[in-house]
Amino acid sequence: MIHVISHRLRVPGLANYGFLILLIVCFSVFTSFVFLSQGDIPGEEHEDDLEYSQKTIPPFRHDILDENFEKCILAPLTSDHLLGGTNSSVGNLLPEFPTQTMKATFKVKKSPVFPILKRFTDLMSSFFRIETVLIEPSVLFCMLGPRYKNLLLRRNFHLKSFANTKRVLTLGIRGTDVAEFEKPGTQAKLRAYGFRMELVNESLLPWMQAGNWTFFDDHFTSHVFFKTKDWVIHLVPFYERGDFLWHASLDVNKNYWSQELYFAESDSIYENFTYESLNFKASFLININIPSNPQYFLFETMNSKFLECNSTVVSSYFKSNQTGVPKISSFSIQYINKRVEVGLQELKSIFNPLLMNFWMWSGTMLGWHRQCGVIPYTTDADFAVWASEVDDLDDILQRIEKNDHVELKQRMGIVEQSLEFNLNCHKLRVDVFFLYPESNGTWYAGHRPSKGYYFKYHHPNFSLCSAELLGHKVLVPCETEQVIATEYGSNWMQPVAEWDYENSIKNRGPNIYWNKSMLEKQQKGYFGTIKPLNFELWSEGEDDILLSKLHNTQAGGRLTLDIRFIGHMARIHGRSLVESGFRPETLRSRSRALTTRSLRPHTQTFRNIFLHFIHKREVPRNLGNVICWY
């Protein structure tokens, strides 16, 4: 009897297991179909079909300059000329500056530059077939219209004292054209026209030796001086490096030119630029050229000091981590690098026209300093902006909305405090943090939207320099290692197996809960590009959870999803979907020129939930010794 009962019990058990196995098989087939339809099968590398054309240099616009800009080169350059128009109203965007304060800051008196400028540029163009570009900061600033003068002053632009440079004029030249001055007999020909030339030569740099440059012997020309009885022309050669321009520093102690010079303190880099002739104003100004974007060129001078990637740090890192990094992403490093490049270039197209500084931050900065590139197992890119430079948030949001390569997925916080953007760049997450001043440094915010609070990451004050990332110019804190150690601790050279943006960080402050009025003010920010409907606060236990009902219209029907359902599902598994990267915006389908076709709403929702519980890409858990996140 016992045997019979045991047999009868065993049969239903096998049937149940068989049914369970059948469910698993069906589930696997269905999920495989979902991933195949989207092209994201975990563990497999995919052919990258992203096509991207480099941004062209913005064209010159006449309205950048003052209507009477020619006075800046025809008449003596004084503070009155230099600051002409800066106290004019330009709407509510920019404040007016006290005239006396500005005149005290800009103590300038320079002789008219036109006679020597015309004489020299005509000689270069007709005799040497070389085009020079006027880059003298005082003259360029004087030429600008009031809008850009005010904007530069808001960005803390200032000119050096010109006490010793009244008779020095600075021009730029392409590095490839300097070879003309090294030809035999050039010195004698220049003397016939009243100029005495001095070339400053330096030893070739490694990146020059690796490039397609043609140099005489083993040196390059870093600076050229042309002296007359009354003037010194300082000619600065700009060499192409990557997609930007580089110029060398000048050790004035080793040269008898004792004047305080521009473009001499440090090796510096600038975005590539073209030039524009001023003959559109008058024919006698032919051969006198200025950068096609003079306002941005001046803006770059403030943070142009170039930091080479520290080869000693990079060598030490790879020597201490010879075992390599496990592959935890289905995408190759080439796939990630390409999207970081696209994201960087598109952020430039958004922020550069507004004269806003943005720079590498957090994990992207760590990868540049530690590995001289992008961390190969990263899942996002990080950049930062000064919140004080946000003059018009709506303008920034409109520029993002019109962009074909980056999409705003989430906006958290408000301009006055804790603003943060989460962008999508062809499936790569790009975070833009906004930094705020405090009594002894700066801070930026981390957010927990699901629980209605944020917290501050504190940093000491730092300045900005320029660096190279993937062949492109990008800003970075000059005190890079100090900033990294503040955020990641003294062991920042060691990869970390598990990383949590809220608990692993070293400079995190306490939770700051939004009060009711501030919560209402920034509700739109938490859900970014999706317009929230029927916002409400829903209390569950001790947490106040910010919720919304999302209504997403799709072709062929209307999808209504209650976020409370998803929030409840997440809590069953111990984590918030918002924390793990599943945002309400992921349900929103938006046409993109370079993305694959969108899935149907229910398929997309299922796929995101599946990715969350299977991959947990954003904050990985229980990965043992797998190195991830930073």
Side-chain angles (χ1 to χ4, degrees):
M1 178 65 67
I2 295 175
H3 175 74
V4 173
I5 293 175
S6 174
H7 177 73
R8 288 180 178 178
L9 290 174
R10 190 181 301 118
V11 172
L14 288 173
N16 287 336
Y17 281 120
F19 180 70
L20 179 60
I21 292 172
L22 180 62
L23 281 178
I24 293 174
V25 171
C26 293
F27 180 78
S28 300
V29 172
F30 178 70
T31 54
S32 298
F33 171 77
V34 170
F35 283 107
L36 280 170
S37 64
Q38 187 72 359
D40 288 343
I41 302 177
E44 291 190 9
E45 292 189 7
H46 314 292
E47 183 178 350
D48 190 359
D49 59 353
L50 172 60
E51 296 180 1
Y52 182 75
S53 299
Q54 293 291 337
K55 293 289 184 181
T56 58
I57 299 173
F60 174 76
R61 299 195 333 266
H62 293 176
D63 62 346
I64 293 174
L65 303 181
D66 187 80
E67 292 181 357
N68 301 311
F69 69 84
E70 69 276 9
K71 292 182 179 180
C72 298
I73 59 176
L74 296 175
L77 187 59
T78 64
S79 296
D80 290 331
H81 278 134
L82 191 71
L83 300 173
T86 54
N87 216 26
S88 303
S89 175
V90 287
N92 297 324
L93 179 61
L94 302 173
E96 295 182 356
F97 291 82
T99 304
Q100 295 303 319
T101 301
M102 289 190 295
K103 286 186 177 181
T105 304
F106 292 82
K107 293 182 178 179
V108 175
K109 185 175 182 181
K110 200 177 186 74
S111 301
V113 300
F114 178 74
I116 186 64
L117 178 61
K118 179 65 174 174
R119 176 182 165 192
F120 183 77
T121 55
D122 284 350
L123 174 63
M124 291 294 107
S125 179
S126 60
F127 189 84
F128 291 100
R129 298 292 188 267
I130 291 175
E131 295 295 336
T132 57
V133 183
L134 177 63
I135 58 173
E136 181 67 37
S138 59
V139 180
L140 287 183
F141 184 84
C142 177
M143 288 181 172
L144 294 177
R147 173 183 175 82
Y148 287 106
K149 284 183 180 178
N150 277 289
L151 186 52
L152 280 168
L153 291 174
R154 274 184 61 87
R155 302 296 187 251
N156 298 317
F157 176 79
H158 65 277
L159 295 169
K160 294 179 181 178
S161 171
F162 274 68
N164 295 322
T165 58
K166 297 177 183 178
R167 294 283 182 172
V168 175
L169 185 63
T170 313
L171 291 91
I173 186 177
R174 292 282 179 177
T176 52
D177 291 334
V178 178
E180 291 293 325
F181 302 133
E182 297 188 350
K183 292 181 178 179
T186 300
Q187 184 74 270
K189 294 176 182 178
L190 286 169
R191 285 178 178 173
Y193 287 89
F195 291 96
R196 182 166 60 87
M197 180 182 69
E198 178 181 327
L199 300 175
V200 180
N201 294 323
E202 305 286 350
S203 299
L204 287 180
L205 300 174
W207 65 269
M208 292 179 170
Q209 295 171 338
N212 296 321
W213 292 94
T214 301
F215 294 99
F216 290 92
D217 300 324
D218 57 352
H219 68 270
F220 73 98
T221 299
S222 61
H223 294 263
V224 188
F225 293 93
F226 299 86
K227 188 176 181 181
T228 68
K229 180 180 178 181
D230 300 316
W231 281 89
V232 172
I233 301 292
H234 177 203
L235 199 60
V236 182
F238 287 85
Y239 294 90
E240 291 187 7
R241 174 171 173 169
D243 71 344
F244 54 88
L245 299 176
W246 174 95
H247 77 74
S249 60
L250 175 68
D251 187 351
V252 294
N253 294 324
K254 295 181 180 180
N255 297 275
Y256 68 85
W257 305 106
S258 59
Q259 297 96 336
E260 186 178 1
L261 301 171
Y262 278 104
F263 309 99
E265 290 184 356
S266 63
D267 294 358
S268 300
I269 62 174
Y270 292 79
E271 296 288 359
N272 209 335
F273 61 86
T274 57
Y275 59 84
E276 183 74 16
S277 173
L278 297 181
N279 66 347
F280 70 86
K281 181 73 173 183
S283 59
F284 66 85
L285 296 177
I286 193 171
N287 296 329
I288 299 179
N289 308 309
I290 63 171
S292 57
N293 51 349
Q295 77 287 2
Y296 187 72
F297 180 83
L298 290 175
F299 179 63
E300 286 188 284
T301 61
M302 296 187 288
N303 303 311
S304 62
K305 180 180 179 180
F306 182 55
L307 294 185
E308 285 279 10
C309 182
N310 193 321
S311 59
T312 302
V313 172
V314 175
S315 176
S316 176
Y317 170 76
F318 283 108
K319 184 179 295 185
S320 60
N321 294 278
Q322 295 181 0
T323 57
V325 178
K327 183 173 178 57
I328 63 172
S329 172
S330 62
F331 302 118
S332 66
I333 183 59
Q334 292 79 12
Y335 184 99
I336 297 296
N337 282 353
K338 190 170 185 179
R339 278 146 183 79
V340 172
E341 285 190 69
V342 173
L344 174 60
Q345 294 298 86
E346 294 306 314
L347 287 179
K348 287 182 181 181
S349 72
I350 294 168
F351 291 123
N352 287 3
L354 303 175
L355 303 192
M356 293 180 63
N357 290 295
F358 78 97
W359 59 92
M360 291 186 289
W361 196 241
S362 296
T364 302
M365 173 179 55
L366 176 63
W368 171 81
H369 185 63
R370 193 175 66 182
Q371 293 153 260
C372 216
V374 176
I375 296 177
Y377 44 89
T378 190
T379 57
D380 67 355
D382 302 305
F383 297 95
V385 178
W386 297 122
S388 60
E389 294 183 354
V390 179
D391 297 314
D392 187 347
L393 181 60
D394 288 337
D395 185 15
I396 297 174
L397 295 175
Q398 289 172 10
R399 290 171 184 268
I400 295 175
E401 181 67 24
K402 294 176 182 178
N403 194 285
D404 292 328
H405 299 280
V406 295
E407 177 185 6
L408 181 63
K409 301 301 292 184
Q410 190 173 35
R411 187 180 98 219
M412 295 174 282
I414 56 178
V415 176
E416 292 80 2
Q417 61 187 87
S418 74
L419 185 63
E420 178 187 344
F421 290 167
N422 170 217
L423 307 174
N424 171 45
C425 178
H426 301 289
K427 302 180 183 178
L428 175 72
R429 173 174 172 150
V430 178
D431 290 320
V432 179
F433 302 100
F434 291 76
L435 270 66
Y436 299 81
E438 56 185 0
S439 58
N440 58 346
T442 62
W443 67 273
Y444 71 101
H447 290 268
R448 281 295 296 272
S450 62
K451 296 188 177 181
Y453 68 76
Y454 69 94
F455 41 89
K456 296 181 179 181
Y457 300 122
H458 299 276
H459 278 277
N461 287 316
F462 58 87
S463 54
L464 292 175
C465 290
S466 295
E468 177 183 5
L469 180 67
L470 302 176
H472 304 283
K473 179 196 170 184
V474 62
L475 297 183
V476 66
C478 301
E479 303 80 8
T480 312
E481 198 160 308
Q482 179 186 7
V483 173
I484 290 174
T486 300
E487 187 146 317
Y488 295 102
S490 58
N491 294 325
W492 55 268
M493 283 285 282
Q494 299 301 318
V496 175
E498 292 190 10
W499 176 257
D500 179 80
Y501 76 97
E502 187 170 2
N503 300 312
S504 300
I505 209 85
K506 303 300 181 182
N507 55 337
R508 182 196 192 281
N511 297 341
I512 302 173
Y513 287 84
W514 295 99
N515 58 40
K516 184 176 180 180
S517 61
M518 292 298 290
L519 188 61
E520 292 174 353
K521 187 175 182 180
Q522 63 83 50
Q523 279 176 349
K524 181 180 178 181
Y526 270 141
F527 288 92
T529 54
I530 293 184
K531 183 178 180 180
L533 302 176
N534 302 325
F535 254 101
E536 55 183 300
L537 282 175
W538 176 44
S539 178
E540 182 183 65
E542 298 180 355
D543 295 333
D544 287 331
I545 312 300
L546 193 62
L547 300 169
S548 173
K549 291 182 178 180
L550 302 180
H551 300 269
N552 191 4
T553 303
Q554 301 285 345
R558 184 177 182 86
L559 171 68
T560 302
L561 179 66
D562 194 334
I563 293 299
R564 283 175 293 188
F565 169 70
I566 295 180
H568 179 67
M569 284 182 60
R571 286 179 181 79
I572 292 175
H573 293 268
R575 292 180 67 212
S576 164
L577 286 176
V578 175
E579 175 191 359
S580 67
F582 184 86
R583 312 288 187 183
E585 290 80 3
T586 58
L587 302 176
R588 178 173 177 265
S589 175
R590 179 174 176 180
S591 176
R592 284 294 182 195
L594 299 178
T595 55
T596 56
R597 61 184 178 85
S598 300
L599 298 175
R600 290 188 296 274
H602 63 276
T603 308
Q604 182 69 57
T605 303
F606 173 80
R607 179 177 178 275
N608 279 298
I609 295 175
F610 182 84
L611 276 173
H612 165 68
F613 291 112
I614 301 301
H615 279 285
K616 297 183 179 180
R617 287 181 175 179
E618 188 167 357
V619 187
R621 305 280 184 171
N622 302 322
L623 294 179
N625 294 324
V626 176
I627 301 174
C628 60
W629 196 242
Y630 86 83

